[in-house]
Each structure stands twice: as structure tokens, then as C-alpha cells.
Amino acid sequence: MALFPLASVACGDAAYLRYLLARAVPSLGESDRIKVAVTEFNNRFMDIYASQGDKRGIGAVPATVAMRHSLVTDAGSLWIGGQVLVYDIASLDFRSVKQDGPLSATVLVKEEWNYQYKDGKTYKEVGQVHGTGALMRYRLVQQGGKWLVQACEPVRGSDKGVKKGA
């Protein structure tokens, strides 16, 4: 019985073992790693839009292939229209982090952003700086030992009842 944890790690079941242990001892959970992935995703999100959808460095975005493709496509379509959308994150306030299973998690984040359109050739301002905020839901999966953003969507309605922290 004492060799069961070692055998499970050797068989590639480490994520399952960590998940089970974290259910018993929450401090062993993946919350910190999951938060880092969401934060890094947003930092890279800004870079992709500022680079006009340039694919260099896209592999560093902690996201699934489908999500990375979507980001580049969206940013590139603006560039084709002659504009660049410059995003700057003002704040990320994690409201909840829930590991749904050994390889999946859901995160709620209150985000505040500033954004401005600029000319794609001269980088001169096309419009004023605007601000926006929303409660966002991130769905993450673990692949190859890394947490990756699989989907990101605004949460409709209010954020009442959503606990801060986690």
C-alpha cells in the first residue's frame, strides 16, 4: 500500500494523485499555478494585440492550440483593417479558483482594462483611451503538466454571491 503513490506517479497519474491529496489538504492544491496561468495568459494577450497578431511567441501563451489560434485571428483581422488594438490591464482580481477535476479548473476574475485603437502603420492614436471591466470566467485544462486556458467568457449578470479570494 505504501508504494501506491510512487506507482501512480510512475504511471503518469501524478495530477490525479495531487487532486485527491488536495481534496484532503487544500493547501496542496493547484490554485497558485492556475492563477499564474491566467495572469500570464492576460499578459500575453496584450502582447498579441499590440503585435498586430504576429505569430512569434504564440507558443509561450498558456492556452490550448484552439485558443491561441483564436487570439491571433482576432488580432490579425484588426491589422488587416489597418488598426491595432492596444490593451493594458489595469487590474486582475481573482474571485474564485475551483479545480473541477484533476485536469480541469474554472476561475472567476474581475478584470479592468484600458484600450485604444491606433493606426497600424504609424501607431498614431485613432481614438481615445477607454476603460472597461467585466467578471470573466476562465476554463482551464492541464496538458503536459501545464495549466492552459481553454476558454474565456464574460459572466452575464452581477457578481453577487461570488466570494473574493480562493
Side-chain angles (χ1 to χ4, degrees), residues 91-145:
S91 68
L92 279 178
D93 180 14
F94 287 88
R95 299 296 177 96
S96 70
V97 176
K98 180 180 179 228
Q99 195 169 347
D100 305 314
L103 303 174
S104 63
T106 302
V107 179
L108 291 176
V109 181
K110 176 74 173 157
E111 299 180 0
E112 301 287 335
W113 291 84
N114 295 316
Y115 66 95
Q116 181 178 39
Y117 288 97
K118 294 191 176 191
D119 182 274
K121 292 180 182 174
T122 65
Y123 222 66
K124 289 185 180 179
E125 299 171 359
V126 174
Q128 296 179 349
V129 174
H130 297 280
T132 186
L135 183 65
M136 301 296 289
R137 178 181 296 115
Y138 290 85
R139 300 190 192 278
L140 289 86
V141 295
Q142 192 179 107
Q143 293 178 356

Side-chain angles (χ1 to χ4, degrees), residues 14-34 97 99 101-102 142 147 166:
Y16 294 91
L17 183 60
R18 274 194 310 274
Y19 176 70
L20 291 173
L21 286 172
R23 309 257 314 151
V25 183
S27 63
L28 297 175
E30 295 279 307
S31 288
D32 289 341
R33 289 184 62 220
I34 293 166
V97 176
Q99 195 169 347
Q142 192 179 107
W147 285 102

Side-chain angles (χ1 to χ4, degrees), residues 32-73:
D32 289 341
R33 289 184 62 220
I34 293 166
K35 287 179 181 179
V36 166
V38 171
T39 302
E40 183 65 15
F41 174 83
N42 279 292
N43 289 334
R44 299 293 180 162
F45 176 87
M46 291 185 291
D47 294 343
I48 290 168
Y49 273 86
S51 72
Q52 302 172 341
D54 189 329
K55 293 178 187 173
R56 284 180 288 175
I58 192 69
V61 178
T64 61
V65 171
M67 177 57 85
R68 289 193 309 248
H69 177 75
S70 175
L71 291 174
V72 169
T73 301

